[in-house]
Amino acid sequence: MARLKGIGPGPAPLSVEEAGERAAALVAPVAGTQTLPLSQADGRVLAEDILAGLPLPPFANSAVDGYALRFDDLAMGAETRLPVLGRVAAGEAAGALAAPGVLRIFTGAPMPPGADTVVMQEDVRRDGDLVVLPPGLRRGDNLRPAGEDVAPGERVLAAGHRLRPQDLGLLAAIGHDQVILRRRPRVALFSTGDELTEPGRALQPAGIYDANRALLRALLTRAGAEPVDLGILRDDRDSLAVRLAEAARDCDLVITSGGVSVGEEDHVKAALSTLGTLDFWRVAIKPGKPVAVGMVAGTPFLGLPGNPVAVFVTFAFVARPMLARLAGTACPPLERLPVRLGFSHHGKPGRREFLRVSLAPGADGVPLARKHPGEGAGSLVSLVQSDGLVELAEDLPPAEEGSIRPFLPYAALLN
Ligand code: AMP
Ligand code: MG
């Protein structure tokens, strides 16, 4: 992908996609597996293909409450009267239907041998011991044949798949109580900044509480990683370097926030240059231009910006691809929805810009996006009070009110 036009001094920034791809290319899937019960497997990545050991459904059964019958006993084009010869409920063994007649049957009950069709109870009349069956039934109606959904031996889930609730349901349906999973990537997490105070402590003069670690711990957990929270680093190149090198020894990835810009107190890049390599540090994205990606003492490193909204946005586009690859799974594609802008926005060209917006129903069915008034990269409350991000491409003309633009709901960024 072509480099974007440079902004200011330093190397040309990478596009959002190129940054995600290059960051992911620096990491390799973690080795090591873990066997866990299904109750602990949601969101985890399968280390093995899953083959069904039995058909689904395991036996032919009724899809409805009604009457099982032999299609050939029905009169063509007219009502049929047949006696009720027996009854079968879910979990019971069914006796055969060997003579003209019907068997009362309930949803999930096995089909009686000989019967090939079920009529819904709502569609019949009772007439003493007889049922009156309507014309127009088809052979096989309301019957769920064995193996209709899954054939025995079929691969139902592939290694590398990240398990969702419906996958866990399917695993249980084929009789699994546990699965072999990839180990979660261990991600060391630091904040940097002399102004930062741990929440719960007294706030220092000129201090702010460290918001990024709380944000990142949860983002990491949702992305399938195991955060290893290592606290706050002071703005000092040498102590930064020592702590980053220690973290690199025990973790699969080291993430920091803050200190990656070009200010005199931004020491993360400098520490990195003594410890390893810097692959890139500028991305054409707003909020979030400075994002340092490289290696620290042989371990992949990601230095996110300091402003919390920039942390959130760059995590979505740079950290998620890295974490997915580390976890041994594909990064879920981000699906944009079209929305109509309820505002105009004339940003700086050359950077992909993400605006925090709330959605309202639109007159023509296309949701209407309203920009949050808090546009600063430090405004966490704007992230809290909005629904997602409108994406303004770097190469498009300014966004005018009424135009249609892509929207990313926050929910899509949180897995
Ligand atoms: P920096 O890139 O270190 O200059 O930080 C940019 C801005 O983000 C500054 O206003 C910092 O105070 C703020 N910031 C940095 N780290 C955090 C954090 N962990 N929590 C909240 N704000 C932060
Ligand atoms: Mg700082």
Side-chain angles (χ1 to χ4, degrees), residues 19-42:
E21 283 162 21
R22 275 192 35 187
L26 283 185
V27 305
V30 296
T33 61
Q34 191 182 13
T35 301
L36 283 180
L38 294 193
S39 57
Q40 293 170 37
D42 186 29

PDB file of all heavy atoms in Angstrom, residues 19-42:
ATOM      1  N   ALA A  19      -0.807   0.084   8.925  1.00  0.00           N
ATOM      2  CA  ALA A  19      -0.332   0.001  10.308  1.00  0.00           C
ATOM      3  C   ALA A  19      -0.800  -1.301  10.950  1.00  0.00           C
ATOM      4  O   ALA A  19      -0.017  -2.007  11.596  1.00  0.00           O
ATOM      5  CB  ALA A  19      -0.829   1.205  11.099  1.00  0.00           C
ATOM      6  N   GLY A  20      -2.081  -1.644  10.758  1.00  0.00           N
ATOM      7  CA  GLY A  20      -2.608  -2.881  11.339  1.00  0.00           C
ATOM      8  C   GLY A  20      -1.898  -4.102  10.780  1.00  0.00           C
ATOM      9  O   GLY A  20      -1.538  -5.024  11.511  1.00  0.00           O
ATOM     10  N   GLU A  21      -1.672  -4.093   9.460  1.00  0.00           N
ATOM     11  CA  GLU A  21      -1.020  -5.259   8.834  1.00  0.00           C
ATOM     12  C   GLU A  21       0.429  -5.388   9.291  1.00  0.00           C
ATOM     13  O   GLU A  21       0.901  -6.483   9.592  1.00  0.00           O
ATOM     14  CB  GLU A  21      -1.057  -5.119   7.302  1.00  0.00           C
ATOM     15  CG  GLU A  21      -2.422  -5.455   6.719  1.00  0.00           C
ATOM     16  CD  GLU A  21      -2.613  -4.913   5.302  1.00  0.00           C
ATOM     17  OE1 GLU A  21      -1.604  -4.632   4.627  1.00  0.00           O
ATOM     18  OE2 GLU A  21      -3.785  -4.756   4.901  1.00  0.00           O
ATOM     19  N   ARG A  22       1.141  -4.271   9.320  1.00  0.00           N
ATOM     20  CA  ARG A  22       2.556  -4.351   9.719  1.00  0.00           C
ATOM     21  C   ARG A  22       2.696  -4.721  11.178  1.00  0.00           C
ATOM     22  O   ARG A  22       3.605  -5.467  11.546  1.00  0.00           O
ATOM     23  CB  ARG A  22       3.261  -3.031   9.432  1.00  0.00           C
ATOM     24  CG  ARG A  22       3.703  -3.071   7.993  1.00  0.00           C
ATOM     25  CD  ARG A  22       4.623  -2.062   7.504  1.00  0.00           C
ATOM     26  NE  ARG A  22       5.654  -1.525   8.336  1.00  0.00           N
ATOM     27  CZ  ARG A  22       6.411  -0.506   7.932  1.00  0.00           C
ATOM     28  NH1 ARG A  22       6.203   0.020   6.743  1.00  0.00           N
ATOM     29  NH2 ARG A  22       7.364  -0.039   8.697  1.00  0.00           N
ATOM     30  N   ALA A  23       1.805  -4.213  12.000  1.00  0.00           N
ATOM     31  CA  ALA A  23       1.866  -4.564  13.422  1.00  0.00           C
ATOM     32  C   ALA A  23       1.591  -6.056  13.596  1.00  0.00           C
ATOM     33  O   ALA A  23       2.297  -6.747  14.340  1.00  0.00           O
ATOM     34  CB  ALA A  23       0.862  -3.727  14.201  1.00  0.00           C
ATOM     35  N   ALA A  24       0.589  -6.565  12.884  1.00  0.00           N
ATOM     36  CA  ALA A  24       0.253  -7.989  13.025  1.00  0.00           C
ATOM     37  C   ALA A  24       1.390  -8.868  12.511  1.00  0.00           C
ATOM     38  O   ALA A  24       1.642  -9.951  13.041  1.00  0.00           O
ATOM     39  CB  ALA A  24      -1.045  -8.294  12.281  1.00  0.00           C
ATOM     40  N   ALA A  25       2.087  -8.386  11.470  1.00  0.00           N
ATOM     41  CA  ALA A  25       3.167  -9.189  10.894  1.00  0.00           C
ATOM     42  C   ALA A  25       4.342  -9.340  11.858  1.00  0.00           C
ATOM     43  O   ALA A  25       5.182 -10.227  11.681  1.00  0.00           O
ATOM     44  CB  ALA A  25       3.637  -8.562   9.582  1.00  0.00           C
ATOM     45  N   LEU A  26       4.414  -8.495  12.882  1.00  0.00           N
ATOM     46  CA  LEU A  26       5.514  -8.592  13.852  1.00  0.00           C
ATOM     47  C   LEU A  26       5.291  -9.700  14.877  1.00  0.00           C
ATOM     48  O   LEU A  26       6.207 -10.037  15.617  1.00  0.00           O
ATOM     49  CB  LEU A  26       5.657  -7.275  14.632  1.00  0.00           C
ATOM     50  CG  LEU A  26       6.335  -6.112  13.945  1.00  0.00           C
ATOM     51  CD1 LEU A  26       6.483  -4.965  14.942  1.00  0.00           C
ATOM     52  CD2 LEU A  26       7.700  -6.517  13.414  1.00  0.00           C
ATOM     53  N   VAL A  27       4.074 -10.220  14.956  1.00  0.00           N
ATOM     54  CA  VAL A  27       3.793 -11.209  15.999  1.00  0.00           C
ATOM     55  C   VAL A  27       3.509 -12.564  15.372  1.00  0.00           C
ATOM     56  O   VAL A  27       3.166 -12.663  14.194  1.00  0.00           O
ATOM     57  CB  VAL A  27       2.591 -10.796  16.895  1.00  0.00           C
ATOM     58  CG1 VAL A  27       2.820  -9.419  17.484  1.00  0.00           C
ATOM     59  CG2 VAL A  27       1.280 -10.847  16.134  1.00  0.00           C
ATOM     60  N   ALA A  28       3.685 -13.607  16.179  1.00  0.00           N
ATOM     61  CA  ALA A  28       3.363 -14.969  15.739  1.00  0.00           C
ATOM     62  C   ALA A  28       2.386 -15.561  16.743  1.00  0.00           C
ATOM     63  O   ALA A  28       2.389 -15.178  17.916  1.00  0.00           O
ATOM     64  CB  ALA A  28       4.637 -15.805  15.691  1.00  0.00           C
ATOM     65  N   PRO A  29       1.542 -16.493  16.291  1.00  0.00           N
ATOM     66  CA  PRO A  29       0.578 -17.100  17.224  1.00  0.00           C
ATOM     67  C   PRO A  29       1.287 -17.754  18.409  1.00  0.00           C
ATOM     68  O   PRO A  29       2.336 -18.367  18.243  1.00  0.00           O
ATOM     69  CB  PRO A  29      -0.138 -18.146  16.368  1.00  0.00           C
ATOM     70  CG  PRO A  29       0.028 -17.673  14.963  1.00  0.00           C
ATOM     71  CD  PRO A  29       1.356 -16.977  14.913  1.00  0.00           C
ATOM     72  N   VAL A  30       0.728 -17.594  19.595  1.00  0.00           N
ATOM     73  CA  VAL A  30       1.352 -18.172  20.780  1.00  0.00           C
ATOM     74  C   VAL A  30       1.320 -19.694  20.683  1.00  0.00           C
ATOM     75  O   VAL A  30       0.372 -20.272  20.139  1.00  0.00           O
ATOM     76  CB  VAL A  30       0.642 -17.745  22.085  1.00  0.00           C
ATOM     77  CG1 VAL A  30       0.763 -16.240  22.294  1.00  0.00           C
ATOM     78  CG2 VAL A  30      -0.803 -18.182  22.112  1.00  0.00           C
ATOM     79  N   ALA A  31       2.364 -20.318  21.206  1.00  0.00           N
ATOM     80  CA  ALA A  31       2.375 -21.784  21.281  1.00  0.00           C
ATOM     81  C   ALA A  31       1.703 -22.171  22.592  1.00  0.00           C
ATOM     82  O   ALA A  31       1.567 -21.359  23.492  1.00  0.00           O
ATOM     83  CB  ALA A  31       3.808 -22.281  21.232  1.00  0.00           C
ATOM     84  N   GLY A  32       1.300 -23.409  22.680  1.00  0.00           N
ATOM     85  CA  GLY A  32       0.761 -23.877  23.955  1.00  0.00           C
ATOM     86  C   GLY A  32      -0.746 -23.917  23.939  1.00  0.00           C
ATOM     87  O   GLY A  32      -1.400 -23.033  23.394  1.00  0.00           O
ATOM     88  N   THR A  33      -1.284 -24.993  24.509  1.00  0.00           N
ATOM     89  CA  THR A  33      -2.736 -25.168  24.550  1.00  0.00           C
ATOM     90  C   THR A  33      -3.174 -25.430  25.984  1.00  0.00           C
ATOM     91  O   THR A  33      -2.351 -25.637  26.871  1.00  0.00           O
ATOM     92  CB  THR A  33      -3.181 -26.347  23.672  1.00  0.00           C
ATOM     93  OG1 THR A  33      -2.579 -27.543  24.178  1.00  0.00           O
ATOM     94  CG2 THR A  33      -2.789 -26.148  22.216  1.00  0.00           C
ATOM     95  N   GLN A  34      -4.476 -25.423  26.140  1.00  0.00           N
ATOM     96  CA  GLN A  34      -5.079 -25.553  27.459  1.00  0.00           C
ATOM     97  C   GLN A  34      -6.421 -26.234  27.238  1.00  0.00           C
ATOM     98  O   GLN A  34      -7.147 -25.847  26.331  1.00  0.00           O
ATOM     99  CB  GLN A  34      -5.279 -24.130  27.965  1.00  0.00           C
ATOM    100  CG  GLN A  34      -5.648 -23.968  29.375  1.00  0.00           C
ATOM    101  CD  GLN A  34      -5.850 -22.491  29.725  1.00  0.00           C
ATOM    102  OE1 GLN A  34      -5.949 -21.618  28.854  1.00  0.00           O
ATOM    103  NE2 GLN A  34      -5.941 -22.211  30.990  1.00  0.00           N
ATOM    104  N   THR A  35      -6.741 -27.229  28.044  1.00  0.00           N
ATOM    105  CA  THR A  35      -8.056 -27.866  27.938  1.00  0.00           C
ATOM    106  C   THR A  35      -8.956 -27.288  29.016  1.00  0.00           C
ATOM    107  O   THR A  35      -8.590 -27.278  30.182  1.00  0.00           O
ATOM    108  CB  THR A  35      -7.925 -29.393  28.101  1.00  0.00           C
ATOM    109  OG1 THR A  35      -7.041 -29.869  27.082  1.00  0.00           O
ATOM    110  CG2 THR A  35      -9.277 -30.080  27.944  1.00  0.00           C
ATOM    111  N   LEU A  36     -10.109 -26.778  28.583  1.00  0.00           N
ATOM    112  CA  LEU A  36     -11.008 -26.136  29.544  1.00  0.00           C
ATOM    113  C   LEU A  36     -12.431 -26.646  29.351  1.00  0.00           C
ATOM    114  O   LEU A  36     -12.823 -27.017  28.233  1.00  0.00           O
ATOM    115  CB  LEU A  36     -11.017 -24.615  29.340  1.00  0.00           C
ATOM    116  CG  LEU A  36      -9.830 -23.822  29.877  1.00  0.00           C
ATOM    117  CD1 LEU A  36     -10.027 -22.349  29.587  1.00  0.00           C
ATOM    118  CD2 LEU A  36      -9.652 -24.045  31.381  1.00  0.00           C
ATOM    119  N   PRO A  37     -13.233 -26.625  30.430  1.00  0.00           N
ATOM    120  CA  PRO A  37     -14.654 -26.958  30.273  1.00  0.00           C
ATOM    121  C   PRO A  37     -15.360 -25.894  29.438  1.00  0.00           C
ATOM    122  O   PRO A  37     -14.908 -24.742  29.375  1.00  0.00           O
ATOM    123  CB  PRO A  37     -15.186 -26.967  31.716  1.00  0.00           C
ATOM    124  CG  PRO A  37     -14.194 -26.199  32.514  1.00  0.00           C
ATOM    125  CD  PRO A  37     -12.873 -26.311  31.819  1.00  0.00           C
ATOM    126  N   LEU A  38     -16.452 -26.270  28.815  1.00  0.00           N
ATOM    127  CA  LEU A  38     -17.186 -25.316  27.973  1.00  0.00           C
ATOM    128  C   LEU A  38     -17.555 -24.060  28.746  1.00  0.00           C
ATOM    129  O   LEU A  38     -17.604 -22.970  28.183  1.00  0.00           O
ATOM    130  CB  LEU A  38     -18.482 -25.953  27.444  1.00  0.00           C
ATOM    131  CG  LEU A  38     -18.361 -27.121  26.471  1.00  0.00           C
ATOM    132  CD1 LEU A  38     -19.716 -27.388  25.827  1.00  0.00           C
ATOM    133  CD2 LEU A  38     -17.305 -26.866  25.421  1.00  0.00           C
ATOM    134  N   SER A  39     -17.798 -24.207  30.038  1.00  0.00           N
ATOM    135  CA  SER A  39     -18.225 -23.046  30.838  1.00  0.00           C
ATOM    136  C   SER A  39     -17.159 -21.967  30.894  1.00  0.00           C
ATOM    137  O   SER A  39     -17.446 -20.833  31.229  1.00  0.00           O
ATOM    138  CB  SER A  39     -18.593 -23.491  32.261  1.00  0.00           C
ATOM    139  OG  SER A  39     -17.482 -24.148  32.844  1.00  0.00           O
ATOM    140  N   GLN A  40     -15.916 -22.292  30.531  1.00  0.00           N
ATOM    141  CA  GLN A  40     -14.849 -21.287  30.560  1.00  0.00           C
ATOM    142  C   GLN A  40     -14.290 -20.998  29.170  1.00  0.00           C
ATOM    143  O   GLN A  40     -13.226 -20.388  29.039  1.00  0.00           O
ATOM    144  CB  GLN A  40     -13.707 -21.768  31.471  1.00  0.00           C
ATOM    145  CG  GLN A  40     -14.116 -21.851  32.924  1.00  0.00           C
ATOM    146  CD  GLN A  40     -13.060 -22.553  33.770  1.00  0.00           C
ATOM    147  OE1 GLN A  40     -11.877 -22.387  33.545  1.00  0.00           O
ATOM    148  NE2 GLN A  40     -13.503 -23.338  34.726  1.00  0.00           N
ATOM    149  N   ALA A  41     -14.993 -21.426  28.134  1.00  0.00           N
ATOM    150  CA  ALA A  41     -14.405 -21.368  26.797  1.00  0.00           C
ATOM    151  C   ALA A  41     -14.938 -20.229  25.922  1.00  0.00           C
ATOM    152  O   ALA A  41     -14.416 -19.999  24.830  1.00  0.00           O
ATOM    153  CB  ALA A  41     -14.610 -22.704  26.084  1.00  0.00           C
ATOM    154  N   ASP A  42     -15.930 -19.477  26.411  1.00  0.00           N
ATOM    155  CA  ASP A  42     -16.469 -18.403  25.568  1.00  0.00           C
ATOM    156  C   ASP A  42     -15.365 -17.399  25.238  1.00  0.00           C
ATOM    157  O   ASP A  42     -14.611 -16.978  26.111  1.00  0.00           O
ATOM    158  CB  ASP A  42     -17.617 -17.696  26.296  1.00  0.00           C
ATOM    159  CG  ASP A  42     -18.306 -16.663  25.403  1.00  0.00           C
ATOM    160  OD1 ASP A  42     -18.321 -16.855  24.169  1.00  0.00           O
ATOM    161  OD2 ASP A  42     -18.816 -15.661  25.936  1.00  0.00           O
TER     162      ASP A  42
END
